[in-house]
Amino acid sequence: MKKMSYEPVIGLEVHVQMATDSKIFCTCSNKFGSEPNTNVCPVCLGMPGVLPVLNEKVVEYTVKAGLALNCQIRTKSVFARKNYFYPDLPKAYQISQYELPICEHGYIDIELEDGTQKRIGITRIHIEEDAGKLNHEDGYSLVDLNRTGTPLMEIVSEPDLRSAEEAKAYLTKLKTILEYVEVSDCNMEEGSMRCDANVSIRPDSNAPFGTRAEIKNVNSFRNVERAIKHEQKRQEKVLSEGGKVVQETRLFNADTGTTASMRGKEDAHDYRYFPDPDLVPIVLEDKFINDLKEWMPELPDAKRARFISEYGLPGIDADFLVSVKAYAEYFEQAVKAHNNPKGVCNWVMGELMRRLNDKQCTIFEAGITPEHLAEVVKLIDEGKISGNIAKQVFDESAETGKKPSAIVEEKGLVQNSNEDELENIVRQVLEANPAETERFKNGEAKLQGFFMGQIMKASKGKANPGIVAPILKKLTS
Amino acid sequence: MLGYTLKQLSEALQKKEFSSAELTQFYLDRIQKYDGEIAAYNFVNENVLTQAKAVDERRAKGEALPAYAGIPMALKDLIIQKDMPATCSSRILEGFVPPFQGTAAQLLEDAGFLCLGKLSMDEFAMGSSNETAYYKKTKNPWDTTRVPGGSSGGSAAAVAAGLTTFALGSDTGGSIRQPASLCGITGMKPTYGRVSRFGLIAFASSLDQIGPMTATIQDNAAVLSVIGKYDKKDSTSLDVAQEDYTKYLTGDVKGMKIGVPREYFAEGITAEVRECVNNAIKAYEAMGCEIVDISMPHTEYAVATYYIIATAEASSNLGRYDGIRFGYRAEADSLKDMFYETRSQGFGDEVKRRIMLGTYVLSAGYYDAYYIKAQKVRTLIKQDFVDAFEKVDAIICPTSPTTAFKAGEKMSDPLQMYLSDINTISLNLYGGCGLSMPCGFGSDGMPIGVQLLGKYFDEGRLYNLAYAFEQQAKLPVMPEKLK
């Protein structure tokens, strides 16, 4: 029997913690990692008699995200209560948006592996408050309400994703865009970005959607990919064995890479949503939205296009530079100092990234300023230093903060382009290696590398390869 | 000191006719003497005398003091006064002492008032007779076999019995006006958004409003002038200027148009009440008011609409009483059982009934049929008021269909009890202001109240209308035996 192949249908719900200073409905600090129950007040504790007051920054941030994700912004949206009992939910309801969310009908374009673009729809973005946290210790469950009232935006995609890879590309793009508009630090380790994946499978792309399972709270891009792949396989197995996929909520176990049922549909919650009478509708004036449109920075897609047209960069380089806003900023600053975009880009992608990985720091903490990096490239372009020396100069500039030209000067690292001196060095190397010289003369071309290496060594790396190569050829022909 | 208005008390204190300590002691003595029978106080503030003495000392030193410095008052037990128990007359809030200050209490404190204590009420403001209270079932001072009305029954009885100068109550469907009527005092439900709800323990958020309950119209206007202030801590508080309502009290009401809605004189209203209110209407006519017959056609749906919206909101507002962070906690072996037992033991029957009703009307499959429908009807009821106020300046009608009924009489029949608020509920759905004041007595010797309803932020006009009537009627505000 031929094994049946299925197409997965995936939709993602991403919770993003907003980078506000204070909570959504009170003035408590929104800081991560404080002592339990220290960032709390009667409002976020849900004490009798208190009322929520909306933090306006939250609206601003959500509208920024909505504009960046091509959404329509509702000029009137309302808060709703989502009612359920849980010890980490002080009011026994979460204030969220249900009908009439603040942003709707947006999209993100993602790039597929074959290089084509795919548009992924965004159903809605709504505002909600986070719940607290339970810490289970020694048979007790301790409630920490620091996180209650942390402002979140929930970004819900259309079921447009067709593979785990697409899901990952979507998340990556989403994270990049949100960082560009500075609404969240999108730090998955600290839980400021969390993802629920809705996964179903169907025999082919014309078939109706299958029954979906929801995988809750996956906390890294890699785990989202793993969870979807596993869930896809699990559902395929269920169907191939003649079973039926049931609608349920599942949890992903990062240790085993598998998903397990958390609750079925039969005990699905009835949240009894209704408009929160304590909060008036959010009414946005056109001016507010227009001001934010004015404020909008250049977004990754536009930046990528500009990098290709303005700097003549290959698409793959532009992709890399725009993937993190700071990389693009760094790049442009460096190009301003020395107009060799491709050269600068190569150094950013090469040596600078190597250093970031080694030091586990951000690009602006790497120790080398864009201007200094530009100077390294300029020294190469002017033929003053070789590529190898340049790496040495780069490292030293990064460690000490000194100007690369000063380092070159100080250490006498200027490239040697004196033909007479270089010819002498080449002769010495050839004489010191008679056997290899003979073989090279007889046509063993791969010895070119060996000789170049020896010449570099003899010149302490300062020989200008562009001048050495013809000399070597002349003396061995 | 009894029978002094707040203005008179303020002047007497300033002239040092008596001290704040003497005044406070006077009320503490009366509480000591009468509250055993009236059962109005859930909690009496032991520190109040010390606080009064501190005011006297400051006055002796010639310090500048706020207008009402050293005058005692009391609060319904769902209005938060920092560091004083707030129980909502419910077992589930046993031992709860709020660590923060409510806005109304803060404004009173800023004006110099001292808090005598917290007054009994129907549990979580659910009831019309003060009989659903877990701790104290307050009695009507005019006849202690009768109820004081509810849910601000403790507040109404305390004012009527002279156990405080005035009290604050809260009105969700008539809970200030109905007990004011039954106890023969004045109660004002201000416009929704006029008084901050920050520090008011919620029953139904879109309907609740704090208001003053007083012996006189002048006191009522004076107190609302203090607490009627925009508050950033309440998103539904409206940013309108604070007013001095006492300035409206001219007694000149000539030319005002008063509407008489025929639907508010329908069946269930006793002949005595009808006659008494009609006499009040005649009095207004005699004062030069134009009396206009009006119709408010959706009145008959108000009670049903109210019980859907109010219970829906209540079911959500009361979810937080879970035994985890404050109040009563039942012992149980598992978390689920603890929730279950805490709420089973902590809430009384009426509260449970309403939570269940509210949960039902919001649940999937019924939401559209009940909650959404009720919101639509609410809009129609609001429109009735909007239409009426295009024709008239105020509306007049009976507050309660009957005088105070006997304790226990309606407890076994919740629907009958709900009808006690038939004439007060519509106003909360609309959100305007409404005042009840005494207009006479029934053959049973019990007070009868008349209600004046006004549009948004038209409290000043209602006060003036009420003042004009009060000056003419000169009704006794306190039972003779308690003087």
Side-chain angles (χ1 to χ4, degrees), chain A residues 164-365:
Chain A
E165 290 77 14
E166 285 184 19
K168 192 182 168 200
Y170 168 84
L171 282 172
T172 308
K173 190 68 175 282
L174 184 62
K175 180 174 189 277
T176 303
I177 294 172
L178 295 175
E179 283 169 350
Y180 265 66
V181 291
E182 297 168 350
V183 299
S184 173
D185 61 13
C186 295
N187 186 333
M188 287 192 108
E189 287 75 48
E190 293 180 2
S192 50
M193 197 168 172
R194 307 194 292 267
C195 180
D196 301 344
N198 288 299
V199 181
S200 66
I201 58 171
R202 57 181 173 176
D204 61 72
S205 56
N206 295 318
F209 289 168
T211 307
R212 65 188 165 87
E214 183 184 23
I215 313 162
K216 277 273 182 210
N217 266 336
V218 195
N219 65 355
S220 77
F221 288 179
R222 197 172 87 86
N223 283 341
V224 172
E225 210 178 350
R226 288 169 74 205
I228 291 171
K229 281 188 172 155
H230 173 268
E231 183 57 22
Q232 200 178 322
K233 277 198 197 118
R234 187 191 69 84
Q235 293 186 13
E236 280 171 12
K237 186 159 181 283
V238 169
L239 293 186
S240 68
E241 286 168 359
K244 269 190 173 171
V245 175
V246 293
Q247 189 178 331
E248 61 183 349
T249 302
R250 299 180 71 84
L251 282 181
F252 177 69
N253 181 333
D255 295 334
T256 60
T258 58
T259 65
S261 183
M262 181 180 152
R263 57 171 185 261
K265 201 194 176 184
E266 58 274 18
D267 52 18
H269 278 102
D270 178 357
Y271 290 116
R272 294 177 287 118
Y273 280 101
F274 75 106
D276 191 323
D278 287 332
L279 286 158
V280 292
I282 303 174
V283 179
L284 299 180
E285 289 174 13
D286 290 342
K287 185 177 183 305
F288 177 83
I289 297 170
N290 288 336
D291 285 353
L292 291 182
K293 276 184 187 160
E294 292 280 307
W295 169 89
M296 264 298 129
E298 183 180 38
L299 294 174
D301 285 351
K303 203 181 277 291
R304 178 184 189 273
R306 185 168 63 81
F307 279 16
I308 292 169
S309 67
E310 187 177 334
Y311 300 120
L313 293 177
I316 191 161
D317 289 4
D319 281 339
F320 173 82
L321 290 176
V322 305
S323 69
V324 176
K325 192 181 187 182
Y327 295 177
E329 280 173 12
Y330 188 101
F331 166 78
E332 291 211 271
Q333 276 186 45
V335 170
K336 213 175 274 173
H338 175 58
N339 189 15
N340 175 1
K342 180 59 186 159
V344 166
C345 176
N346 288 344
W347 275 81
V348 171
M349 289 171 70
E351 284 306 292
L352 186 55
M353 285 305 126
R354 182 186 53 75
R355 191 171 170 84
L356 295 196
N357 281 331
D358 290 350
K359 304 280 172 190
Q360 287 295 308
C361 62
T362 69
I363 196 161
F364 287 107
E365 289 164 2

Side-chain angles (χ1 to χ4, degrees), chain A residues 42-43 45-53 81 83 85 87 90-93 145 270 272-275 277-280, chain B residues 96 99-100 197-200 205 232-236 316-317 319-321 325-326 335 343 359 362-364 367 371:
Chain A
V43 174
L45 291 175
M47 289 229 169
V50 299
L51 293 170
V53 176
R81 292 184 182 179
N83 295 281
F85 284 98
K91 300 188 293 292
Y93 58 81
L145 296 176
D270 178 357
R272 294 177 287 118
Y273 280 101
F274 75 106
D278 287 332
L279 286 158
V280 292
Chain B
F96 174 62
F100 63 100
R197 292 185 296 113
F198 187 85
L200 169 64
S205 312
K232 278 190 291 194
K233 289 181 188 161
D234 175 359
S235 309
T236 62
S316 174
N317 285 333
R320 72 190 66 200
Y321 306 101
R325 283 152 298 128
F326 44 75
L335 177 69
R343 291 171 68 82
T359 303
L362 285 178
S363 58
Y367 179 75
Y371 183 79

Side-chain angles (χ1 to χ4, degrees), chain B residues 292-314:
Chain B
V292 185
D293 278 325
I294 59 169
S295 171
M296 304 186 69
H298 298 96
T299 303
E300 63 173 307
Y301 306 110
V303 173
T305 302
Y306 172 85
Y307 276 94
I308 289 167
I309 292 170
T311 58
E313 292 179 8

Side-chain angles (χ1 to χ4, degrees), chain A residues 59 62-63 66 71-80 96-106 122-128 153-156 281-284:
Chain A
V59 177
T62 313
V63 173
C71 289
Q72 291 169 18
I73 312 298
R74 259 184 198 286
T75 49
K76 185 180 176 184
S77 63
V78 297
F79 283 105
S96 179
Q97 294 190 303
Y98 188 57
E99 290 171 311
L100 311 185
I102 189 159
C103 308
E104 283 180 310
H105 311 305
I122 289 171
T123 316
R124 59 188 275 157
I125 307 175
H126 67 249
I127 301 171
E128 61 185 36
M153 57 180 101
E154 183 172 333
I155 302 169
V156 182
I282 303 174
V283 179
L284 299 180

